[in-house]
Coordinates of all heavy atoms in Angstrom, one line a residue:
M1 N 0.9 -1.2 0.0 CA 0.0 0.0 0.0 C 0.9 1.2 0.0 O 1.9 1.3 0.7 CB -0.9 0.0 1.2 CG -1.7 1.3 1.4 SD -2.9 1.3 2.7 CE -1.9 1.3 4.1
D2 N 0.5 2.2 -0.8 CA 1.2 3.5 -0.8 C 0.3 4.6 -0.3 O -0.9 4.5 -0.5 CB 1.6 3.9 -2.3 CG 2.6 2.9 -2.9 OD1 3.5 2.6 -2.1 OD2 2.4 2.6 -4.1
T3 N 0.9 5.5 0.5 CA 0.1 6.6 1.0 C 0.9 7.9 0.8 O 2.1 7.9 0.7 CB -0.3 6.5 2.5 OG1 1.0 6.5 3.3 CG2 -1.0 5.2 2.8
W4 N 0.2 9.0 0.7 CA 0.9 10.3 0.5 C 0.3 11.4 1.4 O -1.0 11.4 1.5 CB 0.7 10.7 -1.0 CG 1.4 9.8 -2.0 CD1 2.6 9.9 -2.5 CD2 0.7 8.7 -2.6 NE1 2.8 8.8 -3.4 CE2 1.6 8.1 -3.5 CE3 -0.6 8.1 -2.6 CZ2 1.4 7.0 -4.3 CZ3 -0.8 7.1 -3.3 CH2 0.1 6.5 -4.2
N5 N 1.0 12.3 1.9 CA 0.5 13.4 2.6 C 0.7 14.6 1.5 O 1.7 15.1 1.3 CB 1.3 13.7 3.8 CG 0.8 14.9 4.5 OD1 0.4 16.0 3.9 ND2 0.8 14.9 5.9
L6 N -0.4 14.9 0.9 CA -0.4 15.9 -0.2 C 0.0 17.3 0.3 O 0.6 18.1 -0.5 CB -1.7 15.9 -0.9 CG -2.1 14.6 -1.5 CD1 -3.5 14.7 -2.1 CD2 -1.1 14.0 -2.5
T7 N -0.3 17.6 1.5 CA 0.0 19.0 2.0 C 1.5 19.0 2.1 O 2.2 20.0 1.8 CB -0.7 19.2 3.4 OG1 -2.1 19.1 3.2 CG2 -0.3 20.6 3.9
E8 N 2.2 18.0 2.6 CA 3.6 17.9 2.7 C 4.3 17.9 1.4 O 5.4 18.5 1.2 CB 4.1 16.8 3.6 CG 3.8 16.9 5.0 CD 4.2 15.7 5.8 OE1 4.9 14.8 5.3 OE2 3.9 15.7 7.1
L9 N 3.7 17.3 0.3 CA 4.3 17.1 -0.9 C 4.2 18.3 -1.8 O 4.8 18.5 -2.8 CB 3.7 15.9 -1.7 CG 4.1 14.6 -1.1 CD1 3.3 13.5 -1.8 CD2 5.6 14.3 -1.2
A10 N 3.2 19.3 -1.5 CA 3.0 20.5 -2.3 C 4.2 21.3 -2.3 O 4.8 21.7 -1.3 CB 1.8 21.3 -1.7
E11 N 4.6 21.7 -3.6 CA 5.8 22.5 -3.8 C 5.4 23.6 -4.8 O 4.7 23.3 -5.8 CB 6.9 21.7 -4.5 CG 8.0 21.2 -3.6 CD 9.0 20.4 -4.4 OE1 9.7 21.1 -5.2 OE2 9.1 19.2 -4.3
F12 N 5.9 24.8 -4.6 CA 5.6 25.8 -5.5 C 6.8 26.5 -6.1 O 7.9 26.5 -5.5 CB 4.7 26.9 -4.8 CG 3.4 26.4 -4.4 CD1 3.2 25.7 -3.2 CD2 2.3 26.5 -5.2 CE1 2.0 25.2 -2.8 CE2 1.0 26.0 -4.8 CZ 0.9 25.3 -3.5
S13 N 6.7 27.1 -7.3 CA 7.8 27.8 -7.9 C 7.3 29.1 -8.5 O 6.1 29.1 -9.1 CB 8.4 27.0 -9.1 OG 9.2 27.8 -9.9
S14 N 8.0 30.2 -8.3 CA 7.5 31.5 -8.8 C 7.6 31.6 -10.3 O 7.0 32.5 -11.0 CB 8.2 32.6 -8.1 OG 9.6 32.5 -8.4
T15 N 8.4 30.7 -10.9 CA 8.7 30.8 -12.4 C 7.8 29.8 -13.2 O 7.8 30.0 -14.4 CB 10.1 30.6 -12.7 OG1 10.6 29.3 -12.2 CG2 11.0 31.7 -12.0
Q16 N 7.4 28.7 -12.6 CA 6.7 27.7 -13.4 C 5.7 26.9 -12.6 O 5.9 26.8 -11.3 CB 7.6 26.8 -14.1 CG 8.6 26.0 -13.2 CD 9.6 25.3 -14.0 OE1 9.7 25.3 -15.2 NE2 10.4 24.5 -13.3
K17 N 4.8 26.2 -13.2 CA 3.9 25.3 -12.5 C 4.8 24.1 -12.0 O 5.8 23.8 -12.6 CB 2.8 24.8 -13.4 CG 3.2 23.8 -14.5 CD 2.0 23.4 -15.3 CE 2.4 22.4 -16.4 NZ 3.3 22.9 -17.4
V18 N 4.3 23.5 -10.9 CA 5.0 22.3 -10.4 C 4.0 21.1 -10.5 O 2.9 21.2 -10.0 CB 5.5 22.5 -9.0 CG1 6.1 21.2 -8.4 CG2 6.4 23.7 -8.8
K19 N 4.5 20.1 -11.2 CA 3.7 18.9 -11.5 C 4.4 17.7 -11.1 O 5.6 17.5 -11.5 CB 3.3 18.8 -13.0 CG 2.4 17.7 -13.4 CD 2.1 17.8 -14.8 CE 1.5 16.5 -15.3 NZ 1.3 16.3 -16.7
R20 N 3.8 16.9 -10.2 CA 4.5 15.7 -9.7 C 3.7 14.5 -9.8 O 2.6 14.4 -9.3 CB 4.8 15.9 -8.2 CG 5.4 14.7 -7.5 CD 5.5 14.9 -6.0 NE 6.9 15.4 -5.8 CZ 7.4 15.7 -4.6 NH1 6.6 15.7 -3.6 NH2 8.6 16.0 -4.5
D21 N 4.2 13.5 -10.5 CA 3.5 12.2 -10.7 C 3.6 11.5 -9.3 O 4.7 11.3 -8.8 CB 4.1 11.3 -11.7 CG 3.8 11.8 -13.1 OD1 2.7 12.5 -13.3 OD2 4.6 11.6 -14.0
L22 N 2.4 11.0 -8.8 CA 2.4 10.3 -7.6 C 2.3 8.8 -7.8 O 2.9 8.0 -7.1 CB 1.3 10.8 -6.7 CG 1.3 12.3 -6.3 CD1 0.0 12.6 -5.5 CD2 2.5 12.6 -5.5
C23 N 1.4 8.5 -8.7 CA 1.1 7.0 -8.9 C 0.7 6.8 -10.3 O -0.3 7.4 -10.8 CB 0.0 6.6 -8.0 SG -0.5 4.9 -8.1
K24 N 1.5 6.0 -11.1 CA 1.1 5.7 -12.4 C 0.9 4.1 -12.6 O 1.7 3.4 -12.1 CB 2.3 6.1 -13.3 CG 2.2 7.4 -13.9 CD 3.3 7.6 -15.0 CE 2.9 8.8 -15.8 NZ 3.9 9.1 -16.8
T25 N -0.2 3.8 -13.1 CA -0.6 2.4 -13.5 C -1.0 2.3 -14.9 O -1.1 3.3 -15.6 CB -1.6 1.9 -12.5 OG1 -2.9 2.4 -13.0 CG2 -1.5 2.2 -11.0
K26 N -1.3 1.1 -15.3 CA -1.8 0.9 -16.7 C -3.1 1.6 -16.9 O -3.4 2.0 -18.0 CB -1.9 -0.6 -16.9 CG -2.5 -1.1 -18.1 CD -2.3 -2.6 -18.1 CE -3.5 -3.3 -18.6 NZ -3.4 -4.8 -18.7
W27 N -4.0 1.8 -15.8 CA -5.3 2.4 -16.0 C -5.4 3.8 -15.6 O -6.4 4.4 -16.0 CB -6.2 1.5 -15.1 CG -6.4 0.1 -15.6 CD1 -7.0 -0.3 -16.7 CD2 -5.6 -1.0 -15.0 NE1 -6.8 -1.7 -16.8 CE2 -6.0 -2.1 -15.8 CE3 -4.8 -1.2 -14.0 CZ2 -5.5 -3.4 -15.6 CZ3 -4.4 -2.4 -13.7 CH2 -4.7 -3.6 -14.5
F28 N -4.6 4.3 -14.8 CA -4.7 5.8 -14.4 C -3.4 6.3 -13.9 O -2.4 5.7 -13.7 CB -5.7 5.9 -13.3 CG -5.3 5.4 -12.0 CD1 -4.7 6.2 -11.0 CD2 -5.6 4.1 -11.6 CE1 -4.3 5.7 -9.8 CE2 -5.2 3.6 -10.4 CZ -4.6 4.4 -9.5
N29 N -3.4 7.7 -13.8 CA -2.2 8.4 -13.3 C -2.7 9.5 -12.3 O -3.7 10.2 -12.5 CB -1.5 9.1 -14.5 CG -0.2 9.8 -14.1 OD1 0.3 9.5 -13.1 ND2 0.2 10.7 -14.9
T30 N -2.1 9.5 -11.1 CA -2.4 10.5 -10.1 C -1.3 11.5 -10.1 O -0.2 11.1 -9.9 CB -2.6 9.8 -8.7 OG1 -3.6 8.8 -8.8 CG2 -3.0 10.9 -7.7
V31 N -1.7 12.8 -10.2 CA -0.7 13.8 -10.3 C -1.0 15.0 -9.4 O -2.2 15.3 -9.2 CB -0.7 14.4 -11.8 CG1 0.3 15.6 -11.9 CG2 -0.4 13.4 -12.8
L32 N 0.0 15.5 -8.7 CA -0.2 16.7 -7.8 C 0.3 17.9 -8.6 O 1.4 17.9 -9.1 CB 0.7 16.5 -6.6 CG 0.6 17.6 -5.5 CD1 -0.9 17.7 -5.0 CD2 1.6 17.4 -4.4
V33 N -0.6 18.9 -8.8 CA -0.2 20.1 -9.5 C -0.3 21.3 -8.5 O -1.3 21.4 -7.8 CB -1.2 20.4 -10.7 CG1 -0.9 21.6 -11.4 CG2 -1.2 19.2 -11.6
C34 N 0.7 22.1 -8.5 CA 0.8 23.3 -7.6 C 1.1 24.5 -8.5 O 2.1 24.6 -9.3 CB 1.9 23.1 -6.6 SG 1.7 21.6 -5.6
L35 N 0.2 25.5 -8.4 CA 0.3 26.8 -9.2 C 0.3 28.0 -8.2 O -0.6 28.1 -7.3 CB -0.9 26.9 -10.1 CG -1.1 25.8 -11.1 CD1 -2.5 26.0 -11.9 CD2 0.0 25.7 -12.1
E36 N 1.3 28.8 -8.4 CA 1.3 30.0 -7.6 C 0.2 31.0 -8.2 O -0.3 30.8 -9.3 CB 2.7 30.8 -7.8 CG 3.8 30.2 -6.9 CD 3.6 30.6 -5.4 OE1 2.6 31.3 -5.0 OE2 4.5 30.2 -4.7
T37 N -0.1 32.0 -7.4 CA -1.1 32.9 -7.9 C -0.8 33.5 -9.2 O 0.3 33.9 -9.5 CB -1.2 34.1 -6.9 OG1 -1.5 33.6 -5.6 CG2 -2.2 35.1 -7.3
G38 N -1.7 33.4 -10.2 CA -1.6 33.9 -11.5 C -1.1 32.9 -12.6 O -1.1 33.1 -13.8
Q39 N -0.5 31.8 -12.1 CA 0.0 30.8 -13.0 C -1.1 30.0 -13.6 O -2.2 29.9 -13.0 CB 1.0 29.8 -12.4 CG 2.3 30.5 -12.0 CD 3.2 29.5 -11.2 OE1 2.8 28.6 -10.6 NE2 4.5 29.9 -11.3
E40 N -0.9 29.5 -14.8 CA -2.0 28.7 -15.5 C -1.4 27.6 -16.4 O -0.3 27.6 -16.8 CB -2.8 29.6 -16.3 CG -2.3 30.2 -17.5 CD -3.3 31.1 -18.3 OE1 -4.3 30.6 -18.7 OE2 -2.9 32.3 -18.3
I41 N -2.3 26.6 -16.6 CA -2.1 25.6 -17.6 C -3.0 25.9 -18.6 O -4.2 25.8 -18.4 CB -2.2 24.2 -17.0 CG1 -1.2 23.9 -15.9 CG2 -2.2 23.1 -18.1 CD1 -1.5 22.7 -15.0
P42 N -2.6 26.2 -19.9 CA -3.5 26.7 -20.9 C -4.4 25.6 -21.3 O -4.1 24.3 -21.3 CB -2.5 27.0 -22.1 CG -1.2 27.2 -21.5 CD -1.1 26.4 -20.2
S43 N -5.5 25.9 -21.7 CA -6.6 24.9 -22.1 C -6.3 24.2 -23.4 O -5.8 24.9 -24.4 CB -8.0 25.7 -22.4 OG -9.0 24.8 -22.6
R44 N -6.3 22.9 -23.4 CA -6.1 22.1 -24.6 C -6.7 20.7 -24.4 O -6.9 20.2 -23.3 CB -4.6 21.9 -24.8 CG -3.9 21.2 -23.7 CD -2.4 21.0 -24.0 NE -1.7 20.2 -23.0 CZ -1.2 20.6 -21.9 NH1 -1.2 21.9 -21.6 NH2 -0.7 19.8 -21.0
P45 N -7.1 20.0 -25.5 CA -7.7 18.7 -25.3 C -6.6 17.7 -25.0 O -5.5 17.8 -25.5 CB -8.3 18.5 -26.7 CG -7.6 19.4 -27.7 CD -7.1 20.6 -26.9
E46 N -7.0 16.7 -24.3 CA -6.2 15.6 -24.0 C -7.0 14.3 -24.3 O -8.1 14.3 -24.2 CB -5.8 15.6 -22.5 CG -4.9 16.8 -22.1 CD -3.5 16.7 -22.6 OE1 -3.1 15.7 -23.2 OE2 -2.8 17.7 -22.3
P47 N -6.3 13.2 -24.7 CA -6.9 11.9 -25.1 C -7.3 11.0 -23.9 O -7.5 9.8 -24.1 CB -5.9 11.2 -25.9 CG -4.6 11.7 -25.3 CD -4.8 13.1 -24.8
Y48 N -7.5 11.6 -22.7 CA -8.0 10.8 -21.6 C -8.9 11.6 -20.6 O -8.9 12.9 -20.7 CB -6.7 10.3 -20.8 CG -5.8 11.5 -20.5 CD1 -5.9 12.4 -19.5 CD2 -4.6 11.7 -21.3 CE1 -5.0 13.4 -19.2 CE2 -3.7 12.6 -21.1 CZ -3.9 13.5 -20.0 OH -3.1 14.6 -19.8
D49 N -9.7 10.9 -19.9 CA -10.5 11.6 -18.9 C -9.6 12.1 -17.8 O -8.6 11.6 -17.5 CB -11.5 10.6 -18.2 CG -12.6 10.1 -19.2 OD1 -12.8 10.7 -20.2 OD2 -13.1 9.0 -19.0
V50 N -10.1 13.2 -17.1 CA -9.3 13.7 -15.9 C -10.3 14.2 -14.9 O -11.4 14.6 -15.2 CB -8.4 14.8 -16.3 CG1 -9.1 16.1 -16.8 CG2 -7.4 15.2 -15.2
C51 N -9.9 14.0 -13.6 CA -10.7 14.4 -12.5 C -9.8 15.3 -11.7 O -8.8 14.9 -11.2 CB -11.1 13.2 -11.7 SG -12.3 13.5 -10.4
F52 N -10.2 16.6 -11.5 CA -9.4 17.6 -10.8 C -10.1 17.7 -9.4 O -11.2 17.9 -9.2 CB -9.5 18.9 -11.4 CG -9.0 19.0 -12.8 CD1 -9.9 19.1 -13.9 CD2 -7.6 19.1 -13.0 CE1 -9.3 19.2 -15.2 CE2 -7.1 19.2 -14.3 CZ -8.0 19.3 -15.4
Y53 N -9.2 17.5 -8.4 CA -9.8 17.7 -6.9 C -8.9 18.8 -6.4 O -7.6 18.7 -6.3 CB -9.5 16.4 -6.1 CG -10.0 16.7 -4.7 CD1 -11.3 16.8 -4.4 CD2 -9.1 16.8 -3.7 CE1 -11.7 17.1 -3.1 CE2 -9.4 17.0 -2.4 CZ -10.8 17.2 -2.1 OH -11.2 17.5 -0.8
V54 N -9.6 19.9 -5.9 CA -8.9 21.0 -5.3 C -8.6 20.8 -3.9 O -9.5 20.7 -3.0 CB -9.7 22.3 -5.5 CG1 -9.0 23.5 -4.9 CG2 -10.0 22.6 -7.0
I55 N -7.3 20.7 -3.5 CA -6.8 20.4 -2.2 C -6.8 21.7 -1.4 O -7.2 21.7 -0.2 CB -5.5 19.8 -2.2 CG1 -5.5 18.5 -2.9 CG2 -4.9 19.6 -0.8 CD1 -4.2 17.9 -3.4
D56 N -6.3 22.8 -2.1 CA -6.3 24.1 -1.4 C -6.2 25.1 -2.4 O -5.7 24.9 -3.5 CB -5.0 24.1 -0.4 CG -5.2 25.2 0.6 OD1 -6.3 25.7 0.8 OD2 -4.2 25.4 1.3
G57 N -6.6 26.3 -2.0 CA -6.4 27.5 -2.9 C -7.7 27.8 -3.7 O -8.8 27.3 -3.5
N58 N -7.5 28.8 -4.7 CA -8.7 29.1 -5.5 C -8.2 29.3 -7.0 O -7.0 29.6 -7.2 CB -9.2 30.5 -5.1 CG -9.7 30.5 -3.7 OD1 -8.8 30.7 -2.7 ND2 -10.9 30.2 -3.4
G59 N -9.1 29.1 -7.8 CA -8.8 29.3 -9.3 C -10.0 29.1 -10.2 O -11.1 29.0 -9.7
T60 N -9.7 28.9 -11.4 CA -10.7 28.6 -12.4 C -10.3 27.4 -13.2 O -9.1 27.4 -13.7 CB -10.9 29.9 -13.4 OG1 -11.3 31.0 -12.6 CG2 -12.1 29.6 -14.3
I61 N -11.2 26.5 -13.4 CA -10.9 25.4 -14.3 C -11.9 25.5 -15.5 O -13.1 25.7 -15.3 CB -11.2 24.0 -13.6 CG1 -10.1 23.8 -12.4 CG2 -11.1 22.9 -14.6 CD1 -10.3 22.6 -11.7
T62 N -11.3 25.4 -16.7 CA -12.1 25.5 -17.9 C -12.2 24.1 -18.5 O -11.2 23.4 -18.6 CB -11.4 26.4 -18.9 OG1 -11.2 27.7 -18.3 CG2 -12.2 26.5 -20.2
V63 N -13.4 23.7 -18.8 CA -13.7 22.4 -19.5 C -14.6 22.7 -20.7 O -15.7 23.2 -20.5 CB -14.4 21.4 -18.6 CG1 -14.7 20.1 -19.3 CG2 -13.6 21.1 -17.3
G64 N -14.0 22.6 -21.9 CA -14.7 23.0 -23.1 C -14.9 24.5 -23.1 O -14.0 25.2 -22.9
T65 N -16.2 24.9 -23.1 CA -16.5 26.4 -23.1 C -17.0 26.8 -21.7 O -17.2 28.0 -21.5 CB -17.5 26.7 -24.1 OG1 -18.7 26.0 -23.9 CG2 -17.1 26.5 -25.5
E66 N -17.0 25.9 -20.8 CA -17.5 26.2 -19.4 C -16.3 26.5 -18.4 O -15.2 25.9 -18.5 CB -18.3 25.1 -18.8 CG -19.6 24.8 -19.5 CD -20.4 23.7 -18.9 OE1 -20.7 23.8 -17.7 OE2 -20.6 22.6 -19.5
K67 N -16.5 27.6 -17.6 CA -15.5 27.9 -16.6 C -16.2 27.8 -15.3 O -17.3 28.2 -15.1 CB -15.0 29.4 -16.8 CG -14.2 29.5 -18.1 CD -13.7 31.0 -18.2 CE -13.1 31.2 -19.5 NZ -11.7 31.4 -19.4
V68 N -15.5 27.2 -14.4 CA -16.0 27.1 -13.0 C -14.9 27.6 -12.0 O -13.8 27.2 -12.1 CB -16.4 25.6 -12.7 CG1 -15.3 24.7 -12.7 CG2 -17.1 25.5 -11.3
N69 N -15.4 28.5 -11.1 CA -14.5 29.0 -10.0 C -14.4 27.8 -9.0 O -15.4 27.3 -8.6 CB -15.0 30.2 -9.4 CG -15.0 31.4 -10.4 OD1 -14.1 31.5 -11.1 ND2 -16.0 32.2 -10.3
V70 N -13.2 27.5 -8.6 CA -13.0 26.4 -7.7 C -12.3 26.8 -6.4 O -11.5 27.8 -6.4 CB -12.2 25.2 -8.4 CG1 -13.0 24.6 -9.5 CG2 -10.8 25.7 -8.8
A71 N -12.5 26.1 -5.3 CA -11.8 26.3 -4.1 C -11.7 24.9 -3.4 O -12.2 23.9 -3.9 CB -12.6 27.3 -3.2
R72 N -11.1 24.9 -2.2 CA -10.9 23.6 -1.5 C -12.1 22.8 -1.4 O -13.2 23.2 -1.2 CB -10.5 24.0 0.0 CG -10.3 22.8 0.8 CD -10.1 23.1 2.2 NE -8.7 23.7 2.3 CZ -8.1 24.0 3.4 NH1 -8.6 23.8 4.5 NH2 -6.8 24.4 3.4
G73 N -11.9 21.5 -1.8 CA -13.0 20.5 -1.8 C -13.8 20.4 -3.0 O -14.5 19.4 -3.2
R74 N -13.5 21.2 -4.1 CA -14.3 21.1 -5.3 C -13.7 20.0 -6.2 O -12.5 19.8 -6.2 CB -14.2 22.4 -6.1 CG -14.9 22.4 -7.4 CD -16.4 22.4 -7.3 NE -16.9 23.7 -7.2 CZ -18.1 24.1 -7.6 NH1 -19.0 23.2 -8.1 NH2 -18.5 25.4 -7.5
L75 N -14.6 19.2 -6.8 CA -14.2 18.2 -7.7 C -14.8 18.5 -9.1 O -16.0 18.8 -9.2 CB -14.8 16.8 -7.2 CG -14.4 15.6 -8.0 CD1 -12.9 15.3 -7.7 CD2 -15.2 14.4 -7.4
V76 N -13.9 18.5 -10.2 CA -14.4 18.7 -11.5 C -13.9 17.6 -12.4 O -12.7 17.2 -12.4 CB -13.7 20.1 -12.1 CG1 -14.1 20.3 -13.5 CG2 -14.1 21.2 -11.1
F77 N -14.8 17.1 -13.3 CA -14.5 16.1 -14.2 C -14.5 16.6 -15.6 O -15.4 17.3 -16.0 CB -15.5 14.9 -14.1 CG -15.4 13.8 -15.1 CD1 -14.4 12.9 -14.8 CD2 -16.1 13.8 -16.3 CE1 -14.1 11.8 -15.7 CE2 -15.8 12.7 -17.2 CZ -14.9 11.8 -16.9
A78 N -13.6 16.1 -16.4 CA -13.5 16.5 -17.8 C -13.3 15.2 -18.7 O -12.4 14.4 -18.4 CB -12.3 17.5 -18.1
S79 N -14.1 15.1 -19.7 CA -14.0 13.9 -20.5 C -12.9 13.9 -21.4 O -12.4 15.1 -21.8 CB -15.3 13.8 -21.4 OG -16.4 13.5 -20.5
A80 N -12.4 12.8 -21.9 CA -11.3 12.8 -22.9 C -11.6 13.6 -24.2 O -12.9 13.7 -24.5 CB -11.2 11.3 -23.3
N81 N -10.6 14.2 -24.8 CA -10.7 15.0 -26.0 C -11.5 16.3 -25.9 O -11.7 16.9 -26.9 CB -11.3 14.1 -27.1 CG -10.5 12.8 -27.3 OD1 -9.3 12.9 -27.4 ND2 -11.1 11.7 -27.4
I82 N -11.9 16.7 -24.7 CA -12.4 18.0 -24.4 C -11.2 18.9 -23.8 O -10.5 18.5 -22.9 CB -13.6 17.9 -23.4 CG1 -14.6 17.0 -23.9 CG2 -14.1 19.3 -23.1 CD1 -15.4 17.4 -25.1
A83 N -11.2 20.1 -24.4 CA -10.1 21.0 -23.9 C -10.4 21.3 -22.4 O -11.5 21.5 -22.0 CB -10.1 22.3 -24.7
R84 N -9.3 21.4 -21.6 CA -9.3 21.8 -20.2 C -8.2 22.5 -19.9 O -7.0 22.3 -20.4 CB -9.5 20.5 -19.4 CG -8.4 19.6 -19.1 CD -7.9 18.7 -20.3 NE -8.8 17.7 -20.7 CZ -8.8 16.4 -20.4 NH1 -8.0 16.0 -19.5 NH2 -9.7 15.6 -20.9
G85 N -8.3 23.5 -18.9 CA -7.2 24.3 -18.5 C -7.5 24.7 -17.0 O -8.6 24.6 -16.5
I86 N -6.4 25.3 -16.4 CA -6.4 25.6 -15.0 C -5.8 27.0 -14.9 O -4.7 27.2 -15.4 CB -5.8 24.8 -14.1 CG1 -6.2 23.3 -14.3 CG2 -5.9 25.1 -12.6 CD1 -5.3 22.2 -13.6
K87 N -6.4 28.0 -14.1 CA -5.8 29.3 -13.8 C -5.9 29.5 -12.3 O -7.0 29.4 -11.8 CB -6.4 30.4 -14.6 CG -5.6 31.7 -14.2 CD -5.7 32.7 -15.2 CE -4.9 33.9 -14.7 NZ -4.8 34.9 -15.7
S88 N -4.8 29.8 -11.7 CA -4.8 30.0 -10.2 C -5.1 31.5 -9.9 O -4.5 32.4 -10.5 CB -3.4 29.6 -9.7 OG -3.3 30.1 -8.3
T89 N -6.0 31.8 -9.0 CA -6.2 33.1 -8.5 C -5.7 33.3 -7.1 O -5.5 34.4 -6.7 CB -7.7 33.5 -8.5 OG1 -8.4 32.5 -7.8 CG2 -8.3 33.6 -9.9
N90 N -5.4 32.2 -6.5 CA -4.7 32.2 -5.2 C -4.0 30.8 -5.0 O -4.6 29.8 -5.2 CB -5.8 32.4 -4.1 CG -5.2 32.5 -2.7 OD1 -3.9 32.7 -2.5 ND2 -6.0 32.3 -1.7
R91 N -2.8 30.8 -4.8 CA -2.0 29.6 -4.7 C -2.8 28.4 -4.7 O -3.6 28.1 -3.8 CB -1.1 29.7 -3.5 CG 0.0 28.6 -3.4 CD 0.8 28.8 -2.2 NE 2.1 29.1 -2.5 CZ 3.2 28.9 -1.8 NH1 3.1 28.5 -0.5 NH2 4.4 29.3 -2.2
L92 N -2.7 27.5 -5.7 CA -3.7 26.5 -6.0 C -2.9 25.1 -6.0 O -1.9 25.0 -6.6 CB -4.3 26.7 -7.3 CG -5.5 25.8 -7.8 CD1 -6.7 25.9 -6.8 CD2 -5.9 26.2 -9.2
T93 N -3.5 24.2 -5.2 CA -3.0 22.8 -5.2 C -4.1 21.9 -5.6 O -5.2 21.9 -5.0 CB -2.6 22.4 -3.7 OG1 -1.7 23.4 -3.2 CG2 -1.9 21.0 -3.7
I94 N -3.8 21.1 -6.7 CA -4.8 20.2 -7.2 C -4.2 18.8 -7.3 O -3.1 18.6 -7.7 CB -5.3 20.7 -8.6 CG1 -6.0 22.0 -8.5 CG2 -6.1 19.6 -9.4 CD1 -6.5 22.5 -9.9

């Protein structure tokens, strides 16, 4: 069994987003993404489903043409091949 303390693993950089693979299997990939205020991951389609869970902070997640403001505890699902992006409005951990 593997366990992670996501709060302890969160790392931020003032110059770029920080993305850390936590668990990769044949069926899924779990990634920790940390964005400083104002940083973003531009919207683009990906060939896989993704589930974003906001651990801390605030921002906006775009899925297709819809934008949702997110904060701690919010869960957002995006289907494969639909453009998705993230913008941090306050240091964001997903």
